[in-house]
Amino acid sequence: MYDEQGAEYIDCISNVAHVGHCHPLVVRAAHEQNQVLNTNSRYLHDNIVDYAQRLSETLPEQLCVFYFLNSGSEANDLALRLARHYTGHQDVVVLDHAYHGHLSSLIDISPYKFRNLDGQKEWVHVAPLPDTYRGPYREDHPNPAMAYANEVKRVVSSAQEKGRKIAAFFAESLPSVGGQIIPPAGYFSQVADPRVSHLLCHRHIRKAGGVFVADEIQVGFGRVGKHFWAFQLQGKDFVPDIVTMGKSIGNGHPVACVATTQPVARAFEATGVEYFNTFGGSPVSCAVGLAVLNVLEKEQLQAHATSVGSFLMELLGQQKIKHPIVGDVRGVGLFIGVDLIKDEATRTPATEEAAYLVSRLKENYVLLSTDGPGRNILKFKPPMCFSLDNARQVVAKLDAILTDMEEKVRSCETLRLQP
């Protein structure tokens, strides 16, 4: 990226410009379609059908109905409506510190937001974040996936004892605002049991009559490298009932999507109230979406995310050895978190130090930001064209600033300079 004076910055955080800022193929696709036709989806046009077909090829075959929208918030709001119509229930289970969007309906299911506003509604139930570094079940636990899934069971049971009925479990496939969290392998499968017919059983959520919503808005479209969708990290047999997409889907153009199953869609249609979105699925939006998929394929960016992400993780791991403030390095593909701590034993978040570091990095032409409840997690989710050379440059600057901080700062507990 470039500022108004032409200075060049390395962008480590824009997962919206998924295949790169102003990618010429994406820009051209939008421009060419704009010259021909751009109207609402009441007018038949091949692009929306072609795009749905291309998306379906990336997903499990059960997820075969697509609704197109303009933002991730719209997608999650529709997912909530779908879940409630299908189940006939109202309540939602979410993970602590989650963020699912800015609409009123989504603020209500986003602990990250509602804790600072009107508080938790009676129909919202919060399960612990499956964080194996800071949560109650950590890396030394023999089966953290089962332990965290049992916390969901406890939350559901507690709600049912009060007469509540669960419509859905909402989860980001990799919680981002919560601190770049990588749930333990098998966690979703314990929550949503894949060993029984997909639409008939959830171990905990489906047993309660609910559906599983995988929020892929921050992490889908090949970012994790190993798979096209982050929920696939949980095993090939795990299939959500609803998947929501946004941000990276349009490389900055306002596009979003909800994918679901035929039974869920039919229940929604049975209300007799049609779903219509004026700009969702417009010819231009679908041309852009198709162009993003074409670039991902042509430039092999999913494989690129694996190779560059692994290299970046290796470099950051070396920083963990060198600098005591780096408590944990976690991630997959080009979704990586660096947890900064004041003390190794207590893992106290190094909030002030993280803010200082990010500010210094910006002065050194690197755009990075923080996340997590303690605002102490450096979050890496760059455009997918982020290169090996970018990784080297960023970590070299990170190393130099951390070294400088250690020379000037008495300990990790304060940023006050030594006399």
Side-chain angles (χ1 to χ4, degrees), residues 2-8:
Y2 301 86
D3 67 15
E4 71 279 11
Q5 295 173 332
E8 183 178 285

Side-chain angles (χ1 to χ4, degrees), residues 141-184:
H141 191 280
N143 192 344
M146 177 73 80
Y148 280 113
N150 283 338
E151 289 292 325
V152 175
K153 179 182 179 181
R154 179 186 59 77
V155 168
V156 169
S157 296
S158 176
Q160 289 176 323
E161 288 170 5
K162 299 171 186 173
R164 312 299 307 187
K165 293 183 178 180
I166 306 300
F169 176 80
F170 264 77
E172 295 173 90
S173 299
L174 297 175
S176 179
V177 170
Q180 302 291 95
I181 303 300
I182 311 297

